Amino acid sequence: MKHEPVRPEVPRCSVCAVPAVTFQRQSGRHLCSTHATADICDRVAITIQEVAMIVPGDRVAVALSGGKDSTALLMLLSRLIPSWEGVSLVAITIDEGIAGYRDETVRSAENLIRSLGVEHHCISFVDLFGAPLDEFLRGREKEACSICGILRKKALIVGADRAGATKLATGHNLDDEAQSVLMNVLRGDLSRLVRNSGTDSSGRFIPRIKPLKKISEKEIATYLLLNNAWTDLPECPYSRYALRREVRSLLSTLEYRHPGTMLHLLESKKKIETYCAGTITPEPIRHCRVCGDPCSGELCQLCQLKRSLGR
Ligand SMILES: [Zn+2]
Ligand SMILES: [Zn+2]
């Protein structure tokens, strides 16, 4: 007697019952391609709307590196924004000048821009600071991420300003945000933990928004795969020097064993902010005596960096 082969049960989408392509560990739902994409899009819209990150009259500049996060961010915003009245979208790409890494990601950014038809502005460290990042970092590779961060921040502000933007959107995801919370806790840096990087009371800097802050790195990868936008891009060659790497690997293990861990870290930060409201005196805003940008000391971070590099 012949037995029929036993077919493994294919999980079905919890919404529409077609074969599922992904499993959300935290909610316990299986989702098909359509509903996985729609779920991410809806959650990004909720993240934006619950704190009015984007309001009518806004011109949103997306910091488009060409990497996975900013690619997903631009794709999602270019789906959402056309239905919001009086809001427009523009993309800004910074070419830091990292040999063998940036050329590929800048090309990927340009391809995406062509397919989405979004206005695009490019700005390079060479134009802005007179040298590529590689030159700034010679002999200081261990400080790569903080030096690059200071220069990028300035370049993005200049780029957003040139594009006439009112908000600057970055691709920071849930993993990035949870890592930052844990790193600040590990360093005992409470004031940094509760400082809202998105606001600037002086009003001189453009407000920054992070629409993907509740979407995990894994979900972003899934979104790109399901929407034929996955490209295997090189990782930044300087990232091996960062402490963040260790925190990242620790958190991804915890998230796998205890789904929801990263969201809980974000919630903890929010609660601590509420408890601390009014108890931490913000450092008074002063102005850099070289360039006039708002800062906490005599010199802004950029002018301090330039001085330490003898520029
Ligand atoms: Zn479905
Ligand atoms: Zn300065």
Side-chain angles (χ1 to χ4, degrees):
M1 192 179 145
K2 260 175 91 182
H3 288 282
E4 282 288 314
V6 181
R7 287 227 194 100
E9 186 80 10
V10 182
R12 300 271 164 175
C13 174
S14 309
V15 183
C16 71
V18 311
V21 293
T22 181
F23 176 61
Q24 262 184 350
R25 285 180 68 84
Q26 206 198 330
S27 67
R29 295 192 306 167
H30 292 279
L31 293 171
C32 70
S33 173
T34 308
H35 287 112
T37 297
D39 175 70
I40 289 176
C41 207
D42 290 349
R43 280 160 50 213
V44 170
I46 291 167
T47 304
I48 292 172
Q49 283 155 353
E50 69 189 359
V51 291
M53 268 184 197
I54 298 174
V55 292
D58 267 341
R59 180 164 166 78
V60 181
V62 170
L64 177 69
S65 68
K68 295 179 184 75
D69 298 327
S70 63
T71 296
L73 176 62
L74 188 65
M75 288 172 71
L76 283 154
L77 289 184
S78 71
R79 278 168 83 124
L80 290 167
I81 282 184
S83 64
W84 296 341
E85 231 181 278
V87 181
S88 62
L89 187 63
V90 56
I92 298 168
T93 298
I94 311 293
D95 184 353
E96 298 93 347
I98 307 175
Y101 161 67
R102 245 324 172 215
D103 310 342
E104 245 184 282
T105 45
V106 168
R107 216 173 307 128
S108 154
E110 282 164 354
N111 290 338
L112 178 70
I113 286 294
R114 257 193 302 279
S115 73
L116 296 176
V118 174
E119 189 184 320
H120 191 210
H121 296 250
C122 248
I123 192 164
S124 76
F125 276 12
V126 175
D127 292 341
L128 212 53
F129 308 117
L133 183 66
D134 287 342
E135 218 163 282
F136 280 106
L137 295 185
R138 205 148 295 149
R140 297 180 62 162
E141 287 82 1
K142 285 209 162 114
E143 300 160 79
C145 291
S146 66
I147 293 179
C148 181
I150 293 168
L151 297 169
R152 264 184 71 80
K153 186 176 167 197
K154 179 69 180 179
L156 282 171
I157 289 169
V158 172
D161 199 44
R162 287 186 189 166
T166 56
K167 297 276 163 68
L168 177 61
T170 57
H172 292 94
N173 60 40
L174 176 59
D175 297 56
D176 299 326
E177 293 302 289
Q179 286 157 19
S180 297
V181 173
L182 188 54
M183 282 167 76
N184 286 326
V185 171
L186 292 174
R187 288 183 185 129
D189 197 345
L190 183 64
S191 65
R192 190 162 179 164
L193 177 69
V194 298
R195 200 189 308 149
N196 190 345
S197 54
T199 54
D200 163 42
S201 47
S202 74
R204 269 197 63 180
F205 283 152
I206 180 168
R208 290 166 155 249
I209 56 171
K210 298 172 181 173
L212 302 184
K213 69 176 185 185
K214 291 185 183 167
I215 309 294
S216 72
E217 199 175 290
K218 198 174 148 243
E219 288 176 308
I220 288 170
T222 307
Y223 177 83
L224 292 174
L225 279 168
L226 295 178
N227 290 279
N228 303 314
W230 175 266
T231 36
D232 205 5
L233 291 168
E235 200 178 337
C236 176
Y238 291 113
S239 70
R240 65 172 176 269
Y241 296 105
L243 156 79
R244 188 172 282 269
R245 237 181 139 90
E246 286 173 55
V247 171
R248 177 188 174 180
S249 114
L250 173 71
L251 267 181
S252 68
T253 309
L254 284 173
E255 178 67 34
Y256 183 78
R257 291 196 192 146
H258 312 280
T261 296
M262 293 196 296
L263 265 178
H264 294 157
L265 267 171
L266 250 65
E267 283 159 16
S268 300
K269 176 191 153 110
K270 223 174 156 185
K271 278 179 196 156
I272 295 170
E273 275 170 359
T274 316
Y275 295 143
C276 290
T279 60
I280 294 178
T281 353
E283 288 175 38
I285 298 274
R286 297 157 69 176
H287 292 276
C288 171
R289 67 181 158 79
V290 174
C291 71
D293 276 353
C295 62
S296 53
E298 284 266 286
L299 291 178
C300 74
Q301 283 182 308
L302 180 60
C303 290
Q304 276 175 34
L305 174 66
K306 280 185 179 163
R307 175 168 287 188
S308 74
L309 293 168
R311 281 176 178 269

